[in-house]
Amino acid sequence: MNAPPPRDSFEAAPPGLPNPLPRPENEFADLERAWKPPRGIAFLTETNNNFVGLWYVGTALFFFIAAGIMALLMRAQLARPENSLVGHETYNQLFTMHGTVMMFLFAVPAVEAASVYLLPNIQAARDLPFPRLSAYAFWAYFFGGLFFLSSLFQGVAPNTGWFMYPPLTSTEFSPGVNADYWLLGIGFIEISAIAGAIEIIVGVMKTRAVGMSLNKLPVYSWAMLVFAVMIVIGFPAIILGTILLELERAFDWPFFIAARGGDSLLWQHLFWFFGHPEVYIIFLPAAGMVSMIVPSVAQTPLVGYRLVVLALIATGFLSFGLWVHHMFTTGLPKMSLGFFSAASAAVAIPSGIQVFAWIATIASGRMKLTTPALFIIGFLFIFTLGGLTGVMVAVAPFDWVAHDTYFVVAHLHYVLIGGMVFPLFSALYYWVPVASKRQLSERWGRWVFGLMFAGMNIAFFPMHIAGLIGMPRRVYTYQPGLGLDPYNLVSTLGAFMFAAGVALFLLDMLRNFRPGGENAGNVWRAPTLEWLPNGNYNTRSVPWIASRDPLWDQPNLPREVEQGRWYLPGTVTGRREALVTSPIEARPQYILVVPGPGWAHVLAAAFTAAFFALLTVKANYLALACGVAGIACVMWWLWQLDPGPLAPPADIGGGVVLPTYATGPGSHSWWAMAVLMVVCGMIYTCLVFSYLFLWLVNPTAWPPAGVSMAPGWAGLAGIGLYALSSLLIWLAYRRLGGPDHRPLVVPVLLAAALVPALAAGALGLWAELSVGLDPKGSAYGAAVTTMLAMQLLFVGIVVLMAGFTLARWWAGKIDRVRRSIFDNVSLFWHYTTGQGIVALVVIHGFPRLAGGL
Amino acid sequence: MTRHSTPPARDPVETGHRGGAAQLACLGLAAAALGGCNAVQSALHPAGDDAALLLSLTWLMSVGGGAIFVLVMVLLALAIWVRPPWLRRRSTVVALGIVFPTTVLTLLLGYGLLVLRSTNAPASGDALTIEITGEQYWWRVRYPADGDRPGFATANEVQVPVGRPVRLVLDAADVIHSVWIPSFAGKMDMIPGRRTLMQFTPERPGTYRGICAEFCGEQHARMMFDVVALPPAEFDAWREAQARAATEPASDFLRRGREIFARSGCGSCHAVRGAGFSGELGPDLTHVGSRRSIGAGLFPNNAGTLGGWIADVQGLKPGARMPSYGSLAGEELRALAGYLEQLK
Amino acid sequence: MERHRPTLRLLEATGGFLAWGAQFAILYMAVSVACARGWGSAKLLGLPALPAVIVLSTLAALAAAAALLLLGLKRRKDTGLTASQDFLNNVTILVSALSLVAIVYNALPGLLLPSCS
């Protein structure tokens, strides 16, 4: 960074407001122009979080309604025993889709969508750091989600449960395309979630208001940070699981088929290692929202801020130690079950901390019973009850009674509806005034709350009892005479009551929600920054904040911000910009020129969704074409990035001079690449886990009898080649930082580094195939082939990246200063060679060390 | 007898529940006791050692959980309307949010682990071993040889002696299933390629239900079996009868039924020991007439329901692995059903 | 960037749970492998191997978490910390304390349950 260093710390207020009045004549007009959305159909190319966030939330609510209607059909069928309203085939599709759509197309996207809208506003950032990435994530979700939902109307929806256990989901027992819809349909959701996670981590850590140091970070930002890290650690398990199951279905590679060395429990481990954190991924953002709403409605600061932050971090970690509690009945050793019982009990403590912090905050203020407050009370009631039944099922022997019965259905709906839907509705009523000219009706809101609260309890409480008196889950009917009839009938009535509440809410939204222009203002007298006067550019200037409740402690802030008295009141480069700040103290570091609207990411998303959709219906060549087109669009999108410094370092106010470009560790793109590498690392770790798990369940021999291992020299050679490739890239990286502005040796070294990497990738796979390794013949074969094939895929991605980088070099778009793309590529390169070395060490080393055990 | 195109009138498996007045009484009882009106498939009506211990655990946690819930709601109400100073302090959050849960959870976890230790505990040497294999959508049951008593195969019904430990050895032939007999124990999955064990001691004689508790496909909802607990002497008699070869048909009509059984190829899937049929794909029918229900717990067992099942199994339980024999009707069907009914 | 080694501070702040995670992983892997391979009653240097692994990994995790807790408590007296550094230090203390509970919880099954059943 080539600018005079800014102040070390912004703990104390800057002396005087940074930017004096009157502001230059064109400053505001330039700002508005840079942030003006495109007109006509090109409006869909907009990337501004304020628009994308609303589209995203709206789509999530659409899927909520769709899955809700599925539930009503199910409840209607179950209202009477031996009912024939809906046949078994349809019912099995309904319950599978209800769960899948709720979990994958509603719950996670809704909280992610809310954060796309809210996070920059709460932190007074102009936008997220990678707006095109979140827009891409939205469009992929939109197109892909609609395609997935359409399977129900075609009668080929997945019908084996949202948890998709093999062998039921193997080709032998599910020959139809239903399971493929799930496996490939969820693919783009996984991409969306990872993209969102990258966005949020970098957004929370790097784009905050000045002086918003970690101790002043809004609880919502903390919650989203933990949420995003959990996605990064947890989602890869399901990404790998779906890849393995699809490989088994498409190519007969027996990961989960016991007869050839596979094991259905492998799927369960992968699925639930993701699946349990998933529910906390869903809950934590809601808890974060509650921590913002409660202080505001009680008009008093949050009690126990540090305890709440502790609770969020603790939940994040502990939730990864729970997953086998979904497998308590699979016959694992009791001590193993005990570990998961223990952790499942421990995780209740952080939830308890938060509940009592909220109660203490309410007691410290004067809570007016507005609609957001009512939904908070409803949340506390329902979620506490759900949490307590959760502690019950955490005790393994009780779970042996309750597992796979309606008791668990009751529990999970109490924690999910209580813990996520109610906070979401509170958030909708609470934050609509930020986005809309009118707030929602308080009078109608009471009815919405009453119907939803009563309906929910009437629907789900009886299920606790129904489960204990013998009603299993996932049944399309039940016999009379077992005492289940009254409970089911009552549940059905409650479900329709709940739906009536939601319907009333939708009507009110239609009546009152008016986005796009002025907003209703700070109707709740809330303390946080999303309530500052804002426009498309969010706030006119980026403030310095003194505390966690800036609007209460700095009453002049709204006026000052609007007048442009604070930092970066205009646009330095004439384009859209955001202020990047340091992760702990939130010192301004540089000006980030954020990409604006464009077609590349929209088309990339459409082609991504098309790729998965066409693979599902087995139109493989067309799928390949769309995949290539999608990659081309991504290249087109990336080509427009990394503009280099577009202007010399500029004064954002108060003598703080910042560069308009940054590279290297600490830059936003470096952070994003680092997070991406963690995701890839987790995927590969899960693959290595799968390999080791398969060893564990194949006690006789490893490799199995009749299967040969590739010669050891091939492994050593591969390791050497990967190391060489990394060395060459490292040399290029060093030379680019040298005195030469565009040293020719850099592209030469880059091209040269490709050779050993490609050779190593090919050698790894060839060595195995040459000794006759058959991925269909054994789970060992399938695992080894997948490890090497995935590695080869990564090498292929590196080749693409190298080609892209060389093209940029040739076009003069990389040099000593403008080197972000090169830096990111070299990071990924080292990751790939490292992954290759790990693969070879495991494949060649492990059987030789432990094969006899 | 006519061929049934709709399911026959139901005679519920458990006793004493007929008519509207009884229904109402049941409802009232249910409301009062929350126990439901059945005692055959309910974890709230234990008939064995494990189930009893699990029920005490259930009550303990329900009462405790309920008390904590009420406490939290009272504190919330206080916070909203009374706002006492002690409820506003950070130290209260620490006390209620950390100290209190940690204490309660430690005690609960300790007790829970001890219950984990005692339930599904390895059965002693004199346990009765029964092997059950989950199939789509029925239960293959095998009693291995026990001392000098010979082994035998049956299906969809398990009988056990009261007071003697039982060890169920479970596995699955196709996909994952799960055995749950709420009156006796917690559930255990049946996983292809793995063997799991369920161990308990029945204590109260009676007829109970087991159900499949892991989604296993189209007709998962209709996969049940009967569990009968008998005094030891009666159990021995039952066992001895089951081990014998099939009864000889006593009349021409019934012999004709056996001939139709052979002619229709039933023996390629079903075994009838002693009559020369040894198919292994479907349930063993040697003593099918002695079972309480057919279709894996679906219908009561009599010649009428047997006939209806054979003629239209796909209409009654679509997706079951047995095809419908719609070509059989009238006399022939009655004879076949009669033959099966007398295989006691 | 800040001069006070933010990566190290973040590691300290989450270290208690990292120790818990390591203990958890070791315990679960040890029991899974031992029971799957029939080594439930194997001996290590004359002592039962599996309980030894449980006890040693638990003690190690407790020691790590306790060390971080003490480090955090000691650092509270440092007056030169910024508000964020003080905050991170508080988080370190709270996380380390709670992770001690989690580590003990996780060891309980090792004490109360038979090795492989």
Side-chain angles (χ1 to χ4, degrees):
Chain A
M1 304 187 197
N2 44 357
R7 280 170 58 186
D8 268 350
S9 164
F10 278 75
E11 243 182 286
L17 292 167
N19 283 306
L21 288 177
R23 300 308 309 149
E25 207 174 295
N26 293 323
E27 186 185 74
F28 185 58
D30 286 345
L31 182 67
E32 279 197 306
R33 192 182 323 116
W35 286 90
K36 199 154 160 328
R39 307 277 295 274
I41 189 88
F43 179 58
L44 296 176
T45 66
E46 180 57 88
T47 54
N48 188 338
N49 76 297
N50 294 313
F51 297 110
V52 175
L54 289 183
W55 301 339
Y56 217 148
V57 173
T59 308
L61 287 175
F62 166 75
F63 284 118
F64 176 64
I65 309 291
I69 294 174
M70 293 177 212
L72 291 177
L73 288 169
M74 287 158 61
R75 278 312 328 163
Q77 162 68 7
L78 291 177
R80 289 183 315 122
E82 300 288 350
N83 205 1
S84 51
L85 182 71
V86 155
H88 69 279
E89 286 214 24
T90 307
Y91 188 91
N92 293 341
Q93 291 185 22
L94 282 175
F95 85 73
T96 304
M97 289 296 278
H98 170 75
T100 309
V101 172
M102 280 297 190
M103 294 299 275
F104 287 107
L105 294 183
F106 164 63
V108 173
V111 294
E112 221 167 80
S115 77
V116 166
Y117 188 90
L118 269 184
L119 200 61
N121 281 294
I122 281 186
Q123 297 180 180
R126 291 221 189 284
D127 204 334
L128 290 164
F130 311 103
R132 285 195 187 172
L133 187 62
S134 40
Y136 168 82
F138 163 71
W139 286 114
Y141 157 68
F142 181 80
F143 294 132
L146 288 177
F147 170 72
F148 181 71
L149 193 62
S150 76
S151 66
L152 197 56
F153 298 99
Q154 299 170 64
V156 287
N159 56 0
T160 43
W162 88 284
F163 50 98
M164 296 285 288
Y165 279 3
L168 182 59
T169 49
S170 303
T171 316
E172 185 183 350
F173 299 102
S174 286
V177 77
N178 318 52
D180 301 304
Y181 260 97
W182 195 99
L183 294 168
L184 293 162
I186 296 307
F188 53 81
I189 295 296
E190 295 161 352
I191 294 175
S192 278
I194 301 288
I198 294 176
E199 190 87 63
I200 290 166
I201 291 175
V202 181
V204 168
M205 297 306 278
K206 299 290 288 178
T207 57
R208 310 205 291 258
V210 177
M212 187 185 266
S213 45
L214 279 187
N215 62 308
K216 296 180 211 153
L217 192 62
V219 176
Y220 181 71
S221 299
W222 277 113
M224 293 314 296
L225 180 63
V226 176
F227 156 91
V229 173
M230 288 174 74
I231 287 186
V232 164
I233 306 292
F235 262 71
I238 186 90
I239 293 175
L240 181 75
T242 50
I243 291 174
L244 295 186
L245 187 53
E246 192 52 53
L247 286 174
E248 183 183 283
R249 288 178 59 83
F251 303 124
D252 196 27
W253 294 8
F255 297 102
F256 312 112
I257 299 176
R260 279 179 274 164
D263 190 356
S264 48
L265 245 49
L266 173 60
W267 167 270
Q268 293 193 29
H269 281 294
L270 289 172
F271 183 85
W272 289 116
F273 185 79
F274 148 78
H276 191 82
E278 154 91 335
V279 305
Y280 287 95
I281 284 171
I282 291 169
F283 168 64
L284 285 187
M289 291 198 254
V290 171
S291 284
M292 305 296 289
I293 297 173
V294 164
S296 178
V297 298
Q299 289 284 292
T300 183
L302 182 69
V303 173
Y305 174 85
R306 284 169 300 182
L307 290 168
V308 171
V309 172
L310 163 72
L312 293 169
I313 296 173
T315 307
F317 274 95
L318 292 174
S319 67
F320 279 94
L322 271 50
W323 82 91
V324 171
H325 74 210
H326 299 271
M327 298 160 62
F328 272 158
T329 58
T330 54
L332 295 175
K334 282 184 177 175
M335 197 185 285
S336 300
L337 303 187
F339 296 140
F340 291 91
S341 250
S344 302
V347 84
I349 300 173
S351 297
I353 292 174
Q354 291 185 80
V355 167
F356 287 108
W358 293 320
I359 289 180
T361 308
I362 293 171
S364 303
R366 293 194 91 87
M367 187 176 197
K368 265 188 72 186
L369 294 180
T370 54
T371 310
L374 289 175
F375 273 103
I376 295 286
I377 294 171
F379 149 72
L380 285 169
F381 182 100
I382 299 173
F383 179 71
T384 302
L385 203 153
L388 290 166
T389 57
V391 171
M392 288 173 75
V393 286
V395 177
F398 176 75
D399 187 69
W400 288 347
V401 177
H403 173 71
D404 244 295
T405 69
Y406 262 76
F407 188 93
V408 178
V409 177
H411 161 68
L412 75 90
H413 284 92
Y414 265 84
V415 284
L416 285 174
I417 297 182
M420 185 262 175
V421 174
F422 270 66
L424 181 69
F425 273 75
S426 178
L428 287 166
Y429 275 91
Y430 180 73
W431 273 303
V432 154
V434 174
S436 154
K437 194 153 60 164
R438 291 206 295 266
Q439 61 180 115
L440 297 174
S441 160
E442 277 294 301
R443 204 163 51 89
W444 284 39
R446 270 154 173 61
W447 281 94
V448 172
F449 168 75
L451 286 168
M452 284 177 69
F453 181 77
M456 187 277 164
N457 282 291
I458 293 172
F460 292 101
F461 193 83
M463 291 185 185
H464 292 107
I465 304 165
L468 291 178
I469 64 173
M471 185 167 180
R473 287 177 80 167
R474 299 156 185 153
V475 290
Y476 69 92
T477 189
Y478 52 94
Q479 291 187 312
L482 293 172
L484 300 173
D485 310 19
Y487 298 107
N488 273 283
L489 183 61
V490 169
S491 284
T492 301
L493 295 172
F496 278 88
M497 207 170 153
F498 182 85
V502 176
L504 201 61
F505 166 80
L506 285 174
L507 271 172
D508 196 21
M509 282 288 274
L510 286 169
R511 276 190 341 149
N512 280 311
F513 186 66
R514 298 287 177 268
E518 252 182 62
N519 69 11
N522 193 353
V523 301
W524 314 110
R525 275 179 288 157
T528 40
L529 298 176
E530 73 276 21
W531 296 99
L532 287 170
N534 61 19
N536 290 337
Y537 41 80
N538 286 354
T539 50
R540 164 83 193 272
S541 52
V542 180
W544 168 87
I545 58 156
S547 71
R548 281 174 220 142
D549 303 302
L551 295 190
W552 287 341
D553 299 330
Q554 296 163 266
N556 295 323
L557 206 58
R559 191 170 37 88
E560 293 165 359
V561 163
E562 200 173 13
Q563 288 176 337
R565 303 297 309 270
W566 283 104
Y567 297 102
L568 199 59
T571 162
V572 166
T573 59
R575 302 200 196 180
R576 300 182 176 191
E577 291 160 355
L579 187 62
V580 174
T581 51
S582 66
I584 299 189
E585 301 287 355
R587 267 186 303 112
Q589 287 184 316
Y590 62 95
I591 295 168
L592 163 58
V593 177
V594 302
W599 280 106
H601 67 275
V602 183
L603 292 172
F607 283 122
T608 306
F611 170 72
F612 284 105
L614 292 165
L615 273 183
T616 307
V617 299
K618 312 231 193 292
N620 295 329
Y621 288 115
L622 212 53
L624 185 63
C626 285
V628 170
I631 292 176
C633 287
V634 171
M635 297 276 156
W636 171 26
W637 165 9
L638 291 172
W639 191 260
Q640 300 164 52
L641 299 181
D642 193 8
L646 288 170
D651 186 336
I652 61 167
V656 177
V657 178
L658 299 180
T660 56
Y661 181 72
T663 61
S667 75
H668 62 290
S669 68
W670 184 278
W671 276 65
M673 183 53 79
V675 175
L676 182 64
M677 284 170 13
V678 175
V679 173
C680 297
M682 279 305 299
I683 295 178
Y684 214 77
T685 302
C686 291
L687 185 49
V688 171
F689 163 78
S690 303
Y691 172 92
L692 294 172
F693 182 84
L694 289 170
W695 161 77
L696 194 65
V697 300
N698 278 280
T700 42
W702 188 262
V707 177
S708 323
M709 277 191 67
W713 68 259
L716 290 169
I719 292 172
L721 287 167
Y722 280 128
L724 174 62
S725 186
S726 254
L727 178 67
L728 293 170
I729 289 295
W730 178 76
L731 284 171
Y733 182 88
R734 287 289 307 267
R735 289 302 290 269
L736 191 57
D740 249 331
H741 190 65
R742 276 171 55 87
L744 188 58
V745 73
V746 168
V748 167
L749 282 170
L750 189 83
L754 273 178
V755 174
L758 264 171
L763 175 64
L765 204 49
W766 173 86
E768 296 290 345
L769 297 175
S770 73
V771 295
L773 186 72
D774 177 16
K776 290 196 216 211
S778 62
Y780 169 88
V784 171
T785 311
T786 306
M787 285 174 76
L788 294 166
M790 185 172 289
Q791 174 59 20
L792 193 57
L793 175 70
F794 270 74
V795 171
I797 295 173
V798 166
V799 170
L800 263 172
M801 288 175 145
F804 182 82
T805 312
L806 288 170
R808 278 189 83 85
W809 184 278
W810 188 66
K813 289 179 187 271
I814 299 184
D815 57 47
R816 198 170 145 275
V817 173
R818 184 183 180 184
R819 53 177 295 173
S820 250
I821 294 233
F822 178 86
D823 288 347
N824 292 341
V825 168
S826 69
L827 270 180
F828 194 80
W829 202 299
H830 292 304
Y831 171 78
T832 299
T833 55
Q835 181 182 276
I837 291 173
V838 166
L840 292 170
V841 166
V842 171
I843 290 172
H844 287 269
F846 184 79
R848 291 184 168 96
L849 280 171
L853 290 173
Chain B
M1 229 182 285
T2 53
R3 180 179 151 196
H4 292 272
S5 55
T6 52
R10 206 163 304 282
D11 176 23
V13 178
E14 52 96 37
T15 56
H17 182 201
R18 291 172 193 73
Q23 287 244 357
L24 222 57
C26 270
L27 218 77
L29 223 86
L34 292 181
C37 270
N38 88 84
V40 299
Q41 192 178 307
S42 166
L44 300 180
H45 287 88
D49 57 348
D50 271 17
L53 181 55
L54 291 172
L55 183 59
S56 341
L57 176 65
T58 304
W59 276 121
L60 176 75
M61 293 198 295
S62 302
V63 168
I68 294 176
F69 176 72
V70 168
L71 170 72
V72 176
M73 290 302 111
V74 164
L75 289 172
L76 176 61
L78 282 177
I80 298 173
W81 286 294
V82 177
R83 296 189 299 272
W86 55 267
L87 195 51
R88 306 179 199 164
R89 284 190 228 117
R90 191 172 168 275
S91 53
T92 310
V93 178
V94 172
L96 291 173
I98 303 183
V99 178
F100 175 64
T102 306
T103 316
V104 172
L105 289 169
T106 310
L107 294 169
L108 179 63
L109 181 63
Y111 179 58
L113 291 174
L114 291 173
V115 175
L116 177 60
R117 192 193 177 108
S118 318
T119 46
N120 202 17
S124 53
D126 67 329
L128 170 69
T129 300
I130 308 173
E131 296 167 3
I132 311 182
T133 300
E135 307 249 2
Q136 281 176 319
Y137 306 97
W138 58 280
W139 312 86
R140 185 188 297 267
V141 179
R142 207 185 120 60
Y143 282 71
D146 181 22
D148 54 353
R149 297 193 180 84
F152 62 90
T154 176
N156 296 331
E157 184 173 283
V158 162
Q159 305 221 6
V160 290
V162 167
R164 181 177 168 197
V166 170
R167 180 193 297 115
L168 300 180
V169 179
L170 308 173
D171 72 347
D174 38 33
V175 301
I176 302 178
H177 299 271
S178 185
V179 170
W180 187 32
I181 313 168
S183 312
F184 288 136
K187 58 184 65 72
M188 182 57 72
D189 290 352
M190 309 160 114
I191 300 168
R194 287 175 174 247
R195 297 182 100 208
T196 50
L197 296 176
M198 181 191 286
Q199 292 141 134
F200 59 91
T201 304
E203 281 167 350
R204 204 153 46 82
T207 306
Y208 308 98
R209 269 295 179 101
I211 60 178
C212 178
E214 182 61 61
F215 185 71
C216 55
E218 291 175 276
Q219 290 296 343
H220 161 70
R222 295 198 188 278
M223 186 171 159
M224 295 85 71
F225 64 103
D226 296 300
V227 183
V228 186
L230 296 167
E234 287 178 44
F235 169 75
D236 286 336
W238 171 85
R239 199 209 159 108
E240 216 186 294
Q242 292 285 317
R244 285 194 220 112
T247 53
E248 266 296 305
S251 70
D252 278 334
F253 178 68
L254 297 172
R255 271 188 285 275
R256 188 167 164 223
R258 182 173 60 184
E259 185 220 309
I260 292 165
F261 188 93
R263 187 177 30 113
S264 312
C266 307
S268 56
C269 290
H270 296 283
V272 182
R273 270 174 287 121
F277 305 112
S278 52
E280 302 253 284
L281 285 171
D284 186 299
L285 298 179
T286 311
H287 298 282
V288 61
S290 70
R291 303 210 269 259
R292 272 159 181 67
S293 60
I294 60 162
L298 207 49
F299 302 113
N301 191 357
N302 55 59
T305 55
L306 281 164
W309 177 263
I310 295 165
D312 189 25
V313 55
Q314 286 301 319
L316 300 171
K317 191 170 170 178
R321 294 291 180 260
M322 171 173 161
S324 297
Y325 284 82
S327 56
L328 293 172
E331 265 312 292
E332 287 201 323
L333 187 61
R334 280 199 294 277
L336 179 55
Y339 168 64
L340 292 171
E341 191 193 29
Q342 61 86 48
L343 284 174
K344 292 210 196 285
Chain C
M1 300 222 79
E2 282 81 8
R3 281 170 299 199
H4 298 271
R5 300 159 84 205
T7 318
L8 186 59
R9 293 290 164 270
L10 285 169
L11 268 175
E12 286 168 3
T14 51
F17 286 128
L18 293 171
W20 164 82
Q23 176 223 20
F24 188 94
I26 292 171
L27 290 182
Y28 185 46
M29 283 196 292
V31 172
S32 301
V33 173
C35 294
R37 285 287 185 271
W39 302 337
S41 18
K43 298 256 187 286
L44 185 73
L45 302 175
L47 293 166
L50 199 51
V53 168
I54 295 170
V55 168
L56 288 172
S57 55
T58 302
L59 289 176
L62 284 173
L68 285 169
L69 177 61
L70 291 171
L71 178 67
L73 289 170
K74 205 178 81 152
R75 199 181 282 142
R76 279 187 106 172
K77 307 188 187 113
D78 180 356
T79 50
L81 297 175
T82 65
S84 320
Q85 289 166 342
D86 183 56
F87 168 77
L88 266 182
N89 194 43
N90 279 317
V91 171
T92 306
I93 294 168
L94 291 170
V95 163
S96 310
L98 191 56
S99 64
L100 288 170
V101 174
I103 292 167
V104 168
Y105 272 26
N106 251 95
L108 281 178
L111 301 171
L112 294 174
L113 293 172
S115 280
C116 291
S117 66

